[in-house]
Amino acid sequence: MKKLLKPGFSIFLASLLVLSLALPGYAAGKDGKSKTSNLAFEKISEMPKEKKQIVEEALDNPGFKNRSELSKSETGLVNKVTKAPSTYLQDADIVKDESVLIYGTDDPNIMVSNTDGYVEVIEKLNESSFTINGELHKIHVTSEEEQVKKTAEEQNTIEAYSSSSWVKGGNPGGTWTVIWSGWRNLHLENTIGTYTVGALATLISLFTFPVLTSGMIGLASIFLGSIYTNTSVAKIYQINYKHQYPIYKREYYQAYAVWQGENKYLGYENIYYHRTPGV
C-alpha cells in the first residue's frame, strides 16, 4: 500500500510542476539549444513594442534577398534553422530599424545570420580561416590577458560565468569584483565595412568568445557605425565581473578600431545578467 503524501509536500511538488511548465529552460536538453533559444525569446519579449514587432515579423517571415548566393546544402541548412527558431535562435536585436537574427546549428562551428533579410552561413574552418556563403576568408586573432585567476576555484568561476544560462537584465547594485580582463584583437582580411552586422557579430563570437553573448550584436553595430569602417582591425577590451551574489554577473566591452597605427575608441557595451531559475 502506497503512503499518502503529506499536504505540504504535495503542494510543493505541484508548485514545481507548474514552474517547470512555465519555464521552458527547466527542460532544456543536454546540448543546451533549447535553453539558449528560450533566453533569446525572453530577450525578445522584453523589447519595446515596435522593436518586438520587427523581430517577430522577421522570424515569422524569413524571406531572403540573396538566396541565389547559397549552395543547395546552405539553403537546406538555412531553411532548417529559420523554420525552427525555438530550437536554433541564439540572439536577436534591432540595429538602425533593421532586424538582426543569429541562429546556431547542430555544428558549433557553423552559424547562420540574417541581417534584414540578407542571410549568411558562416563556418569557422580553423583558427585562421572561415567561409561566408562558401567564400573563403582569412583572420588572425590575438589576445592580451591582463588578469587571469589561476586557482581551481576561481577558474571554475570564470567557466561558470562563460556559460549560456544567463538572461540579460538590469543592474542589481551591490559589489562587483573583476575576475578577468584583457584584449581580443581581430585582424580581418577584409575591411570592417564589408561585413553585415550579423556576420561581424557572429565572427566576434566564433573567434573570441566561448558562447554568443548579448554584447556581440551591439559591438558589431558600434564598429559598423563608426567612421573607421575602412580599417580591417577590430579590438575589444573586455572585463568580466562577478557579483557578491552568484546569480548575477556583468560583462563590460570597449570597442576600438586601429587607424594609422592608433587605437580609436568607438564605444562600449555594459551588460548585466542574472541566472535563469533552476540553472
Side-chain angles (χ1 to χ4, degrees):
M1 180 177 177
K2 296 181 179 179
K3 294 182 179 179
L4 295 176
L5 294 175
K6 294 180 180 180
F9 189 60
S10 298
I11 294 172
F12 173 71
L13 289 177
S15 64
L16 282 181
L17 176 60
V18 171
L19 190 60
S20 66
L21 293 174
L23 295 169
Y26 270 59
K30 292 182 179 180
D31 59 3
K33 286 186 295 185
S34 297
K35 187 186 301 179
T36 301
S37 65
N38 290 330
L39 300 184
F41 279 105
E42 182 166 342
K43 177 181 177 180
I44 294 170
S45 71
E46 296 173 354
M47 289 180 177
K49 182 179 179 181
E50 295 77 11
K51 280 190 172 184
K52 183 179 178 182
Q53 288 177 338
I54 295 173
V55 169
E56 290 179 340
E57 175 65 22
L59 285 171
D60 294 339
N61 300 287
F64 302 119
K65 305 173 182 177
N66 61 321
R67 189 177 291 272
S68 61
E69 295 181 12
L70 304 177
S71 67
K72 183 177 179 179
S73 61
E74 289 169 342
T75 299
L77 178 62
V78 168
N79 289 337
K80 177 180 178 178
V81 300
T82 58
K83 288 180 179 179
S86 61
T87 299
Y88 295 105
L89 184 67
Q90 291 199 356
D91 200 9
D93 214 330
I94 300 295
V95 177
K96 295 183 178 179
D97 296 324
E98 295 184 343
S99 61
V100 181
L101 307 175
I102 298 180
Y103 301 84
T105 70
D106 297 324
D107 185 333
N109 291 315
I110 301 177
M111 301 179 75
V112 174
S113 72
N114 178 6
T115 305
D116 199 41
Y118 192 88
V119 65
E120 294 164 289
V121 178
I122 302 167
E123 179 176 3
K124 179 181 178 179
L125 302 178
N126 50 52
E127 295 304 320
S128 61
S129 61
F130 61 94
T131 59
I132 298 181
N133 293 349
E135 182 180 343
L136 181 64
H137 297 260
K138 295 293 185 178
I139 188 172
H140 177 61
V141 180
T142 59
S143 298
E144 303 167 36
E145 297 181 342
E146 294 183 344
Q147 180 175 346
V148 181
K149 301 296 187 179
K150 295 183 179 180
T151 68
E153 180 181 355
E154 289 166 331
Q155 183 61 37
N156 289 338
T157 299
I158 293 173
E159 292 174 359
Y161 274 57
S162 299
S163 71
S164 58
S165 55
W166 297 88
V167 180
K168 186 177 179 181
N171 183 358
T175 303
W176 297 96
T177 304
V178 174
I179 61 170
W180 186 91
S181 61
W183 291 88
R184 308 291 197 184
N185 310 315
L186 285 78
H187 302 258
L188 298 157
E189 181 179 24
N190 300 320
T191 60
I192 292 173
T194 60
Y195 297 97
T196 64
V197 174
L200 188 56
T202 302
L203 292 175
I204 293 172
S205 174
L206 283 174
F207 284 93
T208 64
F209 300 99
V211 294
L212 184 69
T213 74
S214 296
M216 300 306 98
I217 293 178
L219 282 172
S221 66
I222 290 173
F223 284 118
L224 292 172
S226 77
I227 63 173
Y228 299 105
T229 55
N230 283 332
T231 183
S232 60
V233 182
K235 302 189 70 173
I236 301 166
Y237 181 64
Q238 178 189 1
I239 305 176
N240 287 354
Y241 297 86
K242 69 176 182 178
H243 194 264
Q244 65 191 93
Y245 301 113
I247 60 170
Y248 300 109
K249 75 168 184 174
R250 175 186 172 195
E251 295 172 353
Y252 177 79
Y253 305 95
Q254 289 182 334
Y256 294 81
V258 177
W259 187 254
Q260 296 180 346
E262 296 182 357
N263 290 346
K264 300 295 184 179
Y265 173 72
L266 307 180
Y268 72 92
E269 283 280 301
N270 190 22
I271 308 170
Y272 299 94
Y273 298 89
H274 60 268
R275 280 281 195 186
T276 54
V279 177

